[in-house]
Amino acid sequence: MNDSLSRRRFLAALGASSLAPGVATAQGFYSRAVPAGSAELWQWTRAQMVLDPALTWLDTAGFGPTLRAAMVQEYRSREQQSLDFQSFEATQLDPARLRTKLIALAGLLGTTAEDLVFTSGTREGLSLVAQGLDLQPGDEVLTTEHEHPAAIYPWLLEARRRGITVRQLPQTGIPRAPAAIVEQFAAALSEKTRVMAFSHVQYTDGTLMPVMELCALARPRNIFTVVDGAQAPGLIDFRVSALGCDAYATCCHKWLNAPYGTGAVYLSPTARARLQPMVVDGPTGWDTQDRFGTPLAAGSSVLPAAQAKFGALTRFNAPQLAGLSVALEFHQATSRPRISTRLLELSAYLKARLASLPGVELLSPAHPALATGIVSFRASGRDHAELVSTLASEDRVIVSHVSHGASFDAIRAGAHVYNQRAEIDKLVNSVRA
């Protein structure tokens, strides 16, 4: 192997000396290795990320820098894959090992391994639901105008293919309170509504949607609920099992800082029974016999139920999943409630600083039940795309321009635990300048 591509050089480029204890033995993070004091803890978290120190990265809502330890673990898995593919398949994709990985993710999300399927991200999970659900011409999907393109376009494609109707509820101004959101959905329901699709945290303005209340609204009407959870894990502390939804799709490369291309979809037992898989390479979970007519034995699959039926593509994500395991350990060891509290503190500081700027209008909710660590704002008289580009090129401050239809155009910022108040000050001062 060329020396420039050797493991030693690769690990050196990643800054292996600053990795968490235990990485050399393919382990991850443990509570005893995490600093106890807040000041030391948040500085320590910054050192765990693969992130250009010259950048002020405030766009985790778009992409979260990958943990160094997770990246090393992914590399080692890919190295094994190339060195000995048969051994790699037998170990990394062994059903028992996959089950262990699903159990770890289920522990963080607050559900069971039986209900989870590994995916490449939220987009795949949402498409799996839209394509696999048994909808008929005239059936209605009720959603909002603030959904991410990856969340709305699978339904629009099915509308063209199958003749279903997609209704997008408008959002007039900043959401006032959770009850107002629920009331808008309730008023829009009809006898044709078969699906309610909405975000857990809206990517446009960071609104924390009242998921439990919306699912409770849908359940007695036998309406299937699909939640876009791309922004939630790692940003807020919650349990999927407490939400009451039928399906919940998420990714792990934002606020969880796992390798790019990792994610999962939660499917309740009722949802698993209704959905047909999108990609298959066998009959498990959707047929009673194999291609030769041989009946399948009951309980023949050793994989958890959802993964067995819907997880045909998981084999392509095995190296990333090795890194995901490390990222999950990091978040559990750092303490999810502590992370959520830190993000709300940084968000409140950012809002207070932005509110002091003339011509700046906050577009994210002020209601505490709707607020998250994502903050969107408008700068009067400025082209937001140009301003975001200038912030990046001149000040190395990275935020996003969110252009979402005719009614919403904003700058979106989101501080993660590795950010400091000084970086928020830099953003505010750059906008002021």
Side-chain angles (χ1 to χ4, degrees):
M1 180 182 292
N2 186 289
D3 182 65
S4 65
L5 296 178
S6 69
R7 175 186 290 186
R8 180 177 299 174
R9 292 284 295 274
F10 178 77
L11 295 181
L14 288 179
S17 61
S18 64
L19 293 177
V23 170
T25 55
Q27 298 300 315
F29 296 84
Y30 302 95
S31 297
R32 64 179 180 272
V34 178
S38 294
E40 296 81 8
L41 174 61
W42 307 131
Q43 292 176 356
W44 175 83
T45 58
R46 177 63 175 250
Q48 310 311 311
M49 305 295 165
V50 179
L51 178 61
D52 186 345
L55 292 180
T56 298
W57 190 269
L58 295 168
D59 190 29
T60 300
F63 173 78
T66 307
L67 283 158
R68 294 177 181 275
M71 186 172 286
V72 170
Q73 195 68 20
E74 180 184 0
Y75 166 77
R76 288 176 175 164
S77 181
R78 289 194 182 281
E79 184 180 51
Q80 181 190 359
Q81 185 182 48
S82 183
L83 288 171
D84 186 349
F85 184 75
Q86 288 186 335
S87 174
F88 173 83
E89 289 268 287
T91 56
Q92 296 295 317
L93 296 178
D94 174 73
R97 178 168 291 195
L98 276 179
R99 178 180 287 274
T100 298
K101 293 180 183 296
L102 285 166
I103 290 173
L105 182 57
L108 185 136
L109 294 179
T111 183
T112 68
E114 294 296 322
D115 299 333
L116 287 181
V117 185
F118 282 128
T119 67
S120 59
T122 311
R123 179 179 285 104
E124 182 185 333
L126 294 174
S127 292
L128 183 156
V129 175
Q131 293 184 30
L133 201 55
D134 52 343
L135 297 179
Q136 303 300 319
D139 287 347
E140 178 184 274
V141 176
L142 185 62
T143 183
T144 83
E145 287 186 349
H146 274 246
E147 303 310 309
H148 191 278
I152 186 65
Y153 278 104
W155 296 114
L156 295 178
L157 175 60
E158 294 309 305
R160 175 169 291 191
R161 291 179 60 224
R162 292 195 266 177
I164 65 174
T165 300
V166 180
R167 291 182 60 201
Q168 303 179 56
L169 296 177
Q171 178 174 301
T172 304
I174 302 172
R176 304 186 310 276
I181 297 174
V182 177
E183 289 169 5
Q184 185 184 24
F185 268 87
L189 293 176
S190 73
E191 293 183 354
K192 297 181 179 180
T193 306
R194 298 290 179 268
V195 176
M196 283 170 51
F198 46 88
S199 298
H200 196 168
V201 176
Q202 292 188 158
Y203 91 105
T204 50
D205 57 9
T207 298
L208 176 59
M209 296 287 280
V211 176
M212 292 179 62
E213 293 83 350
L214 290 173
C215 291
L217 174 68
R219 195 175 304 114
R221 297 169 173 82
N222 197 31
I223 295 174
F224 194 96
T225 47
V226 186
V227 181
D228 173 1
Q231 298 292 345
L235 174 63
I236 60 175
D237 191 17
F238 70 100
R239 295 184 61 82
V240 169
S241 59
L243 300 178
C245 59
D246 293 295
Y248 187 102
T250 190
C251 63
C252 304
H253 57 256
K254 295 182 185 289
W255 302 92
L256 288 177
N257 305 106
Y260 193 75
T262 53
V265 57
Y266 159 87
L267 301 170
S268 71
T270 302
R272 295 199 300 270
R274 290 186 59 181
L275 291 168
Q276 291 297 320
M278 186 171 63
V279 178
V280 297
D281 57 8
T284 304
W286 58 274
D287 204 350
T288 58
Q289 59 186 22
D290 67 15
R291 59 190 289 193
F292 304 108
T294 304
L296 300 179
S300 57
S301 175
V302 293
L303 285 170
Q307 180 68 33
K309 183 175 181 179
F310 302 97
L313 294 176
T314 296
R315 65 169 56 92
F316 300 109
N317 299 103
Q320 296 100 308
L321 293 179
L324 171 61
S325 296
V326 177
L328 296 177
E329 291 175 356
F330 169 81
H331 277 265
Q332 296 286 33
T334 308
S335 170
R336 295 173 63 208
R338 197 173 185 183
I339 290 173
S340 298
T341 300
R342 166 71 172 175
L343 296 183
L344 287 175
E345 290 173 352
L346 291 174
S347 172
Y349 182 72
L350 174 57
K351 289 177 179 178
R353 289 300 318 276
L354 287 171
S356 69
L357 296 181
V360 169
E361 177 189 0
L362 291 173
L363 301 177
S364 295
H367 195 290
L370 300 176
T372 65
I374 298 174
V375 179
S376 293
F377 61 96
R378 179 181 296 127
S380 178
R382 290 302 304 269
D383 181 296
H384 291 145
E386 179 184 4
L387 180 53
V388 166
S389 177
T390 300
L391 290 171
S393 61
E394 296 186 5
D395 299 321
R396 307 302 303 276
V397 175
I398 309 301
V399 290
S400 276
H401 169 224
V402 179
S403 178
H404 192 85
S407 61
F408 192 89
D409 190 272
I411 296 172
R412 183 191 66 195
H416 206 347
V417 292
Y418 44 77
N419 292 119
Q420 302 292 325
R421 287 194 174 195
E423 293 179 294
I424 293 175
D425 292 337
K426 184 177 180 181
L427 166 63
V428 173
N429 292 333
S430 296
V431 172
R432 178 188 288 114

